[in-house]
Amino acid sequence: SSNSNNTTTSPQPPCCTASAPPQPYDKELCDGVMVVVDGSRVKTLDNAEWWLTEAKDRIASPKGSDLYVILVANKCDVTREGLLANPKKMQEYAKKKGFKGYFEVSARDNFHIDRPFADLLQHVVQIQQAK
């Protein structure tokens, strides 16, 4: 539902409970989105697809372009299952689903943590310079 300050709320993703509803979005202040999944649990990809759809449906992208959404798999330092165990297939999966990029990181090992942020920031700077 929408309210007067241009924010929307939405149904919850498959992972959330009634006690933790998602926060409203401000449609005017978003130049990019980062969706993070648990790289050790392939089931979290279902939630990533939900958040991708949610972002594209609810957030206005700059100048009518496709909303810039990247997929990040955290916990790449632990044993991964299924599709998440194959980085090349995950790149293909992310592209096929509509993500603009795919990154593997480990917060615990501080592995490539900067890469998705740098990518998103580079995109935001390009958008801001074009305004």
Side-chain angles (χ1 to χ4, degrees):
S1 65
S2 293
N3 62 25
S4 61
N5 69 359
N6 202 24
T7 60
T8 50
T9 57
S10 62
Q12 297 169 342
C15 66
C16 291
T17 64
S19 63
Q23 296 298 309
Y25 311 117
D26 188 326
K27 290 183 175 186
E28 302 300 319
L29 298 177
C30 187
D31 291 326
V33 175
M34 182 184 303
V35 175
V36 181
V37 297
D38 180 338
S40 67
R41 295 181 28 222
V42 74
K43 183 167 174 47
T44 61
L45 289 176
D46 293 339
N47 296 331
E49 290 180 37
W50 187 92
W51 282 111
L52 175 65
T53 300
E54 182 72 2
K56 288 184 172 186
D57 288 349
R58 304 259 180 200
I59 301 172
S61 55
K63 298 189 177 187
S65 64
D66 284 342
L67 184 63
Y68 195 82
V69 184
I70 61 174
L71 179 61
V72 179
N74 188 28
K75 297 185 182 179
C76 71
D77 55 302
V78 298
T79 303
R80 294 178 272 172
E81 60 183 33
L83 185 60
L84 286 160
N86 187 323
K88 185 175 185 212
K89 288 191 185 241
M90 275 304 299
Q91 288 281 353
E92 295 167 2
Y93 166 86
K95 185 175 181 179
K96 181 177 136 190
K97 293 297 181 180
F99 290 96
K100 303 295 184 182
Y102 171 69
F103 300 87
E104 294 185 341
V105 303
S106 169
R108 182 178 73 180
D109 293 345
N110 195 25
F111 177 75
H112 291 172
I113 292 294
D114 58 326
R115 290 183 179 186
F117 289 96
D119 179 76
L120 197 57
L121 183 58
Q122 180 181 1
H123 173 75
V124 169
V125 167
Q126 289 172 349
I127 293 294
Q128 293 299 319
Q129 287 175 341
K131 287 184 179 179

